[in-house]
Amino acid sequence: MGKSQKKKKSMRRHNPMRVPDSHLPKGLASAAQSSSRNAAVLPIIQKMESADTTERKWACVAVSNLIQNDPSTRRLLQGKNVVGALITRLTDSEEEVVVEAVGALRNLCIDGGYEICAEMYNKNILTPLTTFVPKISSVLSQYLANPKAAPENAQKLVYEFADNVITVLWCLSETSNKALNAINEINLTPFLMSFLASREKLPLGPVVSAAQCLYVLTDDNPPAIAVVRTDASHLSCLLSIARPENIANVEAVKNDPRLVTLSVLAAGILRNVSPLPPPTIVSLVDLDKDVVLPLLQPTIASISISEISSVAQELITQQANEPQIEKLSLKHAPKSDHKSSVEVELEKIETRLRTVQLALEILTGACATLPDPELGPAEEEEEGDDEVLEEEDNEGDMEMEAEDVDGDQPPVPAFIPTLVNPLLALIQPSALSFPPLAAPSPHPPTTSALSAVHITALECLNNVFLSLASSRKPEVAADVTSGAKIWNDVWSALAAVGTQTGLGQERREEIWEKAVGVLWGVGNVWKGSLEPNEEQVSLLIQFCNSSSVPRVKTQCIGTLECLAQRPDSIPANRVIADYLISLLPSGATPSSIDTEPLIQVASALIDIYSDENMPYDVNFRQGQYLNRLVSSVEGVRKAVRNIDRRKEGGRELRVRGDEVRDNLVAFIKYRRGLGL
């Protein structure tokens, strides 16, 4: 099993799109057909280049208004090079045009995600953005030194501008390593920390955006980590923000849930830069025990998916019944941040959900307590003998515990089991969690946030059960009732998700992919105790066959392996074993599956039938599985030898493959020696 961790190599955003557009057909023509605002697009692009300042400003505002929850219009604007046009406006001679252009780019980043961010980076958005950073710092210093130096509306404009610039930089940081390296050159950390240090004198918006940007920048990014880690004032500031007592004011948090977001982000940044160097006050704090968990546990328990979905549904209905005000009048150009009271409440719901998602992300890392396997130098390619099937005299007992974890594993932190129930509650979907089939969501941001919470909760559960399975705590395994309840809760969530696939339903499939990892973890903790339900076994086999992801196939096979070891479930054992046997290579015919799941198949069959005294061992003998295993050895050997160790994870897979191949050889000898 593998720990769920944020992807480091190819830095894709955890939530690539706030307003997904995968349900729409590809191409500019189809975007034009599906957009109800096709006629408005060309005038906007034309006015972007107008000699009239008012028209240029209007065009930038109009982009923000048109793309709101409207992916087809966003795609249409993209096809007309709206990104390039807005980036050009960042060097406009009029300040107000620049401000609105940054706001529109910010909204495109947030709603459109990775693809639009990549386009912005490729069109050199960082050059003008970089010039804004020192200007914002200078004005910010003046305002903080003398708050009455400028009118309130001027200050508001600067703070909103800062918020938008920081948000674009945050989104670009998550786009690719290339973009991240370019942003590292700007040395943003002191700039961002200045907002956090002055948080009590500034509006919450830019402060939270600065924390969000710093959280992303310190995620496995040594340059930013070093700046934070080596400055005691930075660490002290972050610790004071992350203190759990900061969110004790329920009324304040209810009015503005971003207060919780800020504390959670500070905790995440501290975890990102850990371990903290002595001799600072912060280094004396047990970060997880004293700060992270007391803050994050109540955060993830603070929402009920069903309640929050119900409130959101009422607001969406209310919004649909409100008269729509025309927002594109040139005479009365609205501010791009104009929101109705319903929109404000929906944004609060989204903020709460995104904060829970963030807390889950941090907890997922905290639950990944086990060290990754240490590998020695790459072994020489063996040309050696695999004369594994010859009858030899040394057919003694074989060791069947190759996968057991040594007794010196680090202890599982006490908090891990306490997370299970709140996490199980967060994986249960509501009617708003996914778009209806063949239709967009009634409110894409809420749907996107809900499904993201379900996915991150499953990732966290995966690490919880990986830790519990590896610790092999007898008292946990003995609580069979809890195991059955957890198992059934995960399947209940999957039943609500359904098996529908297709355009716009990618999140449903992703839920299944994450859930199978959790099922494997639960199966390992309560191996042999869980009852193999016929329908569930069938669904696991179907999902294994349909998935194109080797890791997911491996998890399905591992889960089936655990179910097959219930002593009294002889028919289910036969169904599972017949399926696993069918995946093995035979003679000159290679396996139909990739090497990683094939290795798991061989390991599973060894594990299932390692004890010939089990009631279900009758299936091994009657099905003549030994002969099939014998005919598979050469195919398994070839598959293992063909593993490319230069690829990511290749060395680890080769070590694992060699071990399983050796075990398969020894297992065949052992079973032959029994003479059954």
Side-chain angles (χ1 to χ4, degrees):
M1 289 185 292
K3 289 177 284 191
S4 288
Q5 294 187 341
K6 285 170 284 182
K7 293 173 184 171
K8 308 293 185 186
K9 298 285 183 185
S10 57
M11 296 199 39
R12 291 299 185 99
R13 299 182 63 193
H14 199 98
N15 172 43
M17 279 200 182
R18 178 174 177 262
V19 186
D21 61 7
S22 60
H23 61 284
L24 297 170
K26 299 295 180 188
L28 195 57
S30 62
Q33 289 173 0
S34 58
S35 172
S36 61
R37 292 157 163 179
N38 191 15
V41 169
L42 192 56
I44 288 171
I45 300 298
Q46 290 172 338
K47 285 180 173 31
M48 201 84 74
E49 305 292 335
S50 170
D52 186 333
T53 301
T54 306
E55 289 194 346
R56 296 199 305 277
K57 179 184 170 186
W58 173 88
C60 295
V61 174
V63 171
S64 290
N65 289 327
L66 279 184
I67 67 166
Q68 189 174 30
N69 297 343
D70 188 347
S72 57
T73 302
R74 182 185 71 226
R75 190 184 282 181
L76 187 59
L77 281 162
Q78 247 189 298
K80 301 291 186 183
N81 192 29
V82 72
V83 169
L86 286 168
I87 291 174
T88 301
R89 297 277 65 78
L90 294 182
T91 52
D92 198 280
S93 56
E94 290 295 327
E95 198 172 76
E96 285 192 359
V97 176
V98 175
V99 169
E100 295 299 347
V102 170
L105 287 163
R106 177 255 185 210
N107 290 345
L108 281 167
C109 276
I110 291 290
D111 270 17
Y114 171 76
E115 299 298 340
I116 281 183
C117 291
E119 184 184 346
M120 289 180 190
Y121 174 74
N122 291 335
K123 290 181 175 173
N124 203 26
I125 192 175
L126 280 179
T127 296
L129 285 185
T130 302
T131 66
F132 297 150
V133 172
K135 291 177 183 176
I136 293 169
S137 287
S138 174
V139 174
L140 191 67
S141 299
Q142 292 172 29
Y143 286 175
L144 290 174
N146 185 6
K148 296 179 181 177
E152 190 176 328
N153 61 340
Q155 293 189 40
K156 184 172 182 286
L157 191 70
V158 169
Y159 296 142
E160 286 176 0
F161 181 67
D163 191 347
N164 290 334
V165 168
I166 292 167
T167 301
V168 174
L169 289 167
W170 145 35
C171 293
L172 290 171
S173 300
E174 292 183 298
T175 301
S176 67
N177 281 329
K178 195 183 290 185
L180 178 64
N181 290 335
I183 288 170
N184 281 338
E185 294 295 316
I186 305 173
N187 189 22
L188 276 180
T189 303
F191 171 70
L192 299 172
M193 281 301 311
S194 70
F195 283 85
L196 302 187
S198 305
R199 63 193 178 279
E200 292 178 359
K201 300 176 183 177
L202 296 172
L204 198 51
V207 176
V208 172
S209 294
Q212 181 72 68
C213 191
L214 192 58
Y215 172 68
V216 171
L217 285 175
T218 54
D219 181 14
D220 198 41
N221 180 30
I225 290 172
V227 175
V228 176
R229 188 185 274 165
T230 54
D231 191 315
S233 66
H234 290 349
L235 295 174
S236 179
C237 173
L238 289 165
L239 183 62
S240 66
I241 297 171
R243 289 287 187 189
E245 54 267 28
N246 289 347
I247 61 170
N249 188 333
V250 177
E251 197 58 38
V253 167
K254 185 178 177 184
N255 290 334
D256 198 335
R258 292 177 300 174
L259 290 166
V260 183
T261 311
L262 181 60
S263 289
V264 171
L265 283 166
I269 296 164
L270 286 170
R271 276 205 110 256
N272 283 349
V273 303
S274 294
L276 305 177
T280 64
I281 296 292
V282 183
S283 65
L284 302 176
V285 175
D286 185 330
L287 196 58
D288 280 349
K289 182 184 172 191
D290 298 334
V291 178
V292 173
L293 293 162
L295 175 69
L296 301 191
Q297 282 184 290
T299 299
I300 67 168
S302 67
I303 65 166
S304 158
I305 294 292
S306 59
E307 285 179 19
I308 208 165
S309 299
S310 176
V311 172
Q313 192 67 67
E314 288 175 15
L315 289 167
I316 292 164
T317 303
Q318 189 179 329
Q319 187 179 42
N321 293 330
E322 282 183 349
Q324 295 299 305
I325 301 169
E326 177 55 54
K327 292 184 177 180
L328 293 178
S329 165
L330 187 56
K331 290 181 182 177
H332 307 288
K335 293 296 289 180
S336 56
D337 63 350
H338 175 74
K339 297 180 182 74
S340 69
S341 59
V342 170
E343 287 171 333
V344 169
E345 290 306 311
L346 282 169
E347 276 200 0
K348 284 184 181 180
I349 286 175
E350 186 186 357
T351 298
R352 290 181 65 196
L353 289 168
R354 292 295 182 196
T355 302
V356 170
Q357 178 196 352
L358 176 67
L360 290 167
E361 212 174 274
I362 298 165
L363 282 172
T364 297
C367 292
T369 56
L370 300 178
D372 291 319
E374 291 292 333
L375 296 173
E379 299 82 357
E380 295 295 321
E381 289 285 344
E382 313 88 345
E383 299 298 334
D385 58 35
D386 275 302
E387 293 107 18
V388 296
L389 305 180
E390 294 182 5
E391 302 290 348
E392 296 180 8
D393 294 332
N394 57 343
E395 293 159 342
D397 291 343
M398 62 174 292
E399 299 220 359
M400 298 305 301
E401 300 300 324
E403 290 186 66
D404 277 359
V405 178
D406 294 333
D408 61 354
Q409 282 292 340
V412 172
F415 71 84
I416 282 187
T418 66
L419 292 175
V420 172
N421 285 332
L423 290 172
L424 286 170
L426 291 175
I427 68 171
Q428 304 299 328
S430 71
L432 268 180
S433 294
F434 306 100
L437 297 178
S441 162
H443 192 254
T446 301
T447 291
S448 177
L450 279 167
S451 57
V453 166
H454 301 322
I455 287 166
T456 44
L458 284 165
E459 288 175 339
C460 196
L461 275 171
N462 178 78
N463 281 2
V464 165
F465 287 110
L466 175 59
S467 294
L468 289 174
S470 301
S471 69
R472 302 193 183 279
K473 284 181 173 288
E475 65 274 20
V476 176
D479 188 359
V480 176
T481 304
S482 290
K485 180 188 180 301
I486 293 165
W487 177 265
N488 290 332
D489 282 353
V490 177
W491 277 104
S492 173
L494 288 173
V497 171
T499 56
Q500 301 93 337
T501 57
L503 293 176
Q505 302 301 324
E506 294 82 4
R507 281 296 178 92
R508 293 183 194 267
E509 187 171 357
E510 194 174 351
I511 292 280
W512 272 88
E513 290 180 357
K514 303 297 183 187
V516 170
V518 177
L519 290 171
W520 190 10
V522 176
N524 267 288
V525 173
W526 286 281
K527 189 179 286 187
S529 301
L530 299 169
E531 186 173 351
N533 173 286
E534 186 177 340
E535 183 185 0
Q536 292 171 1
V537 169
S538 176
L539 282 168
L540 284 168
I541 290 173
Q542 287 176 39
F543 190 56
C544 186
N545 288 335
S546 65
S547 177
S548 59
V549 183
R551 172 185 51 81
V552 173
K553 283 184 179 288
T554 301
Q555 291 171 333
C556 289
I557 291 160
T559 308
L560 289 166
E561 168 194 341
C562 297
L563 290 175
Q565 294 183 60
R566 168 112 169 183
D568 59 352
S569 297
I570 297 172
N573 175 279
R574 186 185 306 113
V575 169
I576 293 169
D578 282 345
Y579 174 64
L580 297 181
I581 286 286
S582 75
L583 299 175
L584 289 172
S586 180
T589 306
S591 172
S592 61
I593 56 176
D594 290 292
T595 303
E596 183 184 352
L598 173 60
I599 290 169
Q600 189 60 42
V601 166
S603 174
L605 287 164
I606 295 167
D607 202 24
I608 293 166
Y609 295 112
S610 61
D611 184 351
E612 69 277 6
N613 297 312
M614 280 291 181
Y616 54 68
D617 197 71
V618 63
N619 293 329
F620 186 88
R621 300 191 294 273
Q622 290 179 354
Q624 298 186 323
Y625 294 159
L626 183 59
N627 293 338
R628 283 290 286 111
L629 288 172
V630 169
S631 69
S632 75
V633 171
E634 181 61 18
V636 170
R637 184 186 70 82
K638 282 182 178 176
V640 170
R641 290 177 71 94
N642 286 334
I643 293 170
D644 187 349
R645 293 192 238 198
R646 291 167 299 180
K647 288 186 177 178
E648 186 178 355
R651 285 187 60 210
E652 295 91 332
L653 185 62
R654 178 60 191 265
V655 169
R656 162 95 168 129
D658 286 339
E659 178 185 72
V660 171
R661 179 205 60 198
D662 292 346
N663 283 352
L664 179 60
V665 172
F667 177 72
I668 290 170
K669 293 176 185 175
Y670 174 73
R671 291 297 309 208
R672 276 182 164 166
L674 292 174
L676 295 175

